[in-house]
Amino acid sequence: MSSSINREKFTQGVSLLFKTQWTALKLAVDMQWGGHDSEDKRDWLIGVIVDYFDKNGKNTDIDDLGTILNQVMIDEFNTLLEDDSAYQVSQDLIKIYNECIQGNYLTVDLLQSNQESTKQNSFLHSKKIKNHEEDEDGNSDDYDEILGQQNGENSTIENDEVIGINTSKSSKNEPIIDDDGFTLVTRKR
Amino acid sequence: MTTKRRNHGRNKHGRGHVKPVRCSNCARCVPKDKAIKRFTVRNMVESAAIRDITDASVYTEYALPKLYIKLHYCVSCAIHSHVVRVRSREGRRNRAPPPRIRYNKDGKKINPNVQQKVTT
C-alpha cells in the first residue's frame, strides 16, 4: 500500500532529520547527556513523533509539536533549549509530513544523500572503524606469535586458516577457540 | 538509622570510585555520577538583538552560532538555585521527570495533567 511506503519514508525522513540536522539532539546522543541509553531515547522519540502525526494528520499544531520536543529534551536529556531549534525542527517535520502524504520524497532523499556524503559522522565513523581494525590486528598478532612458537612447519597453512576464522569472528564477542582447544583471551569490547 | 535513598544519592553501581567534577557555581568537588547535570543550548545573540546584528552584519546570510553549555551542580547549589527541590518521603521515589507547565496561545496556563490526557 502506498500509505505504508509513505509512513516508512516519513519515518526515515524524521530519523535522518534527528540524526543529522538537529544539532542539539545529535550532541545530546553523542555526548550521552541522557545517560548510556541516549540512543534508545532518540529512537523512542522518533516513534513518538511518527505516532503523533499518525493520530493528528494535517491538524498538527506547530507550537504543540515544538513544545513536545522541548519537553522531551528537558525530561529525557536534561537539556534546556533556549534557542528556537525545536520550533524550526517542527517546521521541517510538518514540511516533510506534507510532502510524504503526497508521495513526494525529494526532501527525504536529499537528507539521505547528504548524510552519506557529508563528513558529519566521519569522526565517530572513523573511530568505530579504528576499533574494529584494532580488534582484528590484535587477534591475528597474538595468534601468529603462539603458532609460530609451536609449529614451525605448518605455521603458514594454519596462519591462513586462523586469520580466516579471526576475521569472521572478531566482529562478535564470541570466545575464539583454537584447534588445540585453547581459548584466546581478548580485552572486553 | 534508616537510609534516605536506596542509591545513596548517586548513580554508582558496580564501581568503586568515579572521578570528581567541580561544581559550576561554587567549585566544590562532586563525584561525577552524583552531580546534578544540566545542559543548555542557547544562541550567542539574544532574540531581541538578532535583528540588530543581522542588520549590521556584512554577510547577507550568516548562521548565528550557538552556545552549548554543560553545567554540573553540587547538591547545595542545585537546591539553592532551584534546579531541584526537596521532596517528601514518597515523592523522593518518583523518578519520572516533572511535568512542565505550558502556556496556551492565549497565555493561559495549561494544566499539565489535562494536557497529558489529551496527547497520550
Side-chain angles (χ1 to χ4, degrees):
Chain A
M1 280 195 52
S2 65
S3 65
S4 66
I5 300 177
N6 284 350
R7 197 169 193 270
E8 265 185 43
K9 276 288 181 180
F10 177 61
T11 313
Q12 188 190 10
V14 173
S15 167
L16 285 167
L17 195 71
F18 282 176
K19 287 181 186 170
T20 57
Q21 297 300 110
W22 194 10
T23 315
L25 181 63
K26 185 168 177 293
L27 273 178
V29 172
D30 290 343
M31 300 294 148
Q32 301 203 328
W33 294 349
H36 57 266
D37 54 350
S38 300
E39 272 201 38
D40 298 333
K41 289 184 180 178
R42 175 179 63 193
D43 295 336
W44 166 82
L45 174 62
I46 292 171
V48 162
I49 297 291
V50 174
D51 290 339
Y52 179 82
F53 272 101
D54 270 346
K55 230 192 323 182
N56 291 15
K58 289 211 167 183
N59 298 334
T60 55
D61 186 20
I62 187 170
D63 288 325
D64 206 24
L65 192 54
T67 314
I68 290 178
L69 291 174
N70 268 328
Q71 190 72 13
V72 168
M73 286 304 277
I74 290 180
D75 295 342
E76 304 292 331
F77 295 100
N78 290 326
T79 307
L80 184 64
L81 291 175
E82 292 183 14
D83 59 352
D84 291 329
S85 62
Y87 186 78
Q88 290 164 5
V89 168
S90 42
Q91 269 181 329
D92 289 338
L93 284 171
I94 290 180
K95 186 181 102 173
I96 293 181
Y97 180 70
N98 288 332
E99 284 183 4
C100 283
I101 289 180
Q102 296 157 6
N104 172 15
Y105 306 134
L106 269 180
T107 315
V108 177
D109 294 333
L110 190 67
L111 286 172
Q112 177 84 26
S113 57
N114 274 351
Q115 189 211 25
E116 285 160 12
S117 63
T118 57
K119 299 176 183 175
Q120 278 184 4
N121 42 4
S122 67
F123 172 66
L124 290 170
H125 193 54
S126 62
K127 219 174 168 190
K128 283 177 193 170
I129 292 177
K130 192 185 165 197
N131 286 341
H132 278 304
E133 279 180 6
E134 277 181 12
D135 274 347
E136 291 182 10
D137 289 344
N139 287 345
S140 58
D141 281 341
D142 289 339
Y143 259 66
D144 284 344
E145 277 176 29
I146 294 169
L147 290 174
Q149 288 167 8
Q150 290 175 359
N151 299 324
E153 293 177 299
N154 302 332
S155 61
T156 50
I157 304 168
E158 289 189 12
N159 277 348
D160 294 336
E161 294 174 357
V162 160
I163 288 171
I165 298 170
N166 269 343
T167 51
S168 64
K169 275 194 181 179
S170 61
S171 56
K172 304 188 184 179
N173 291 335
E174 297 172 3
I176 301 165
I177 300 183
D178 194 3
D179 293 333
D180 299 331
F182 291 107
T183 307
L184 182 70
V185 177
T186 57
R187 55 201 162 113
K188 284 188 213 171
R189 271 286 151 204
Chain B
M1 280 285 294
T2 61
T3 57
K4 196 170 180 182
R5 294 177 188 88
R6 182 168 176 170
N7 65 352
H8 305 297
R10 58 191 304 180
N11 190 8
K12 180 180 73 68
H13 295 288
R15 278 165 283 279
H17 178 257
V18 293
K19 289 241 170 112
V21 296
R22 309 296 291 268
C23 172
S24 319
N25 209 9
C26 62
R28 191 198 198 298
C29 279
V30 201
K32 184 177 178 179
D33 57 312
K34 184 172 183 174
I36 290 125
K37 295 167 274 288
R38 295 286 179 262
F39 307 93
T40 51
V41 181
R42 207 162 62 197
N43 286 323
M44 277 193 185
V45 188
E46 291 295 334
S47 49
I50 291 181
R51 177 95 198 282
D52 296 334
I53 298 278
T54 50
D55 285 349
S57 169
V58 173
Y59 307 106
T60 47
E61 276 187 26
Y62 181 65
L64 289 168
K66 302 191 181 184
L67 281 169
Y68 299 91
I69 306 170
K70 178 172 183 177
L71 293 161
H72 301 278
Y73 290 111
C74 68
V75 178
S76 315
C77 290
I79 294 177
H80 184 69
S81 57
H82 299 301
V83 175
V84 294
R85 264 167 240 267
V86 176
R87 295 192 287 184
S88 64
R89 180 190 296 222
E90 298 79 32
R92 279 185 197 131
R93 303 172 60 175
N94 179 16
R95 291 182 72 92
R100 189 166 157 233
I101 299 173
R102 293 190 299 197
Y103 291 93
N104 210 346
K105 288 175 197 171
D106 305 333
K108 296 179 189 173
K109 270 193 199 175
I110 298 180
N111 191 355
N113 298 328
V114 174
Q115 188 61 31
Q116 278 169 15
K117 281 181 202 167
V118 170
T119 53
T120 54

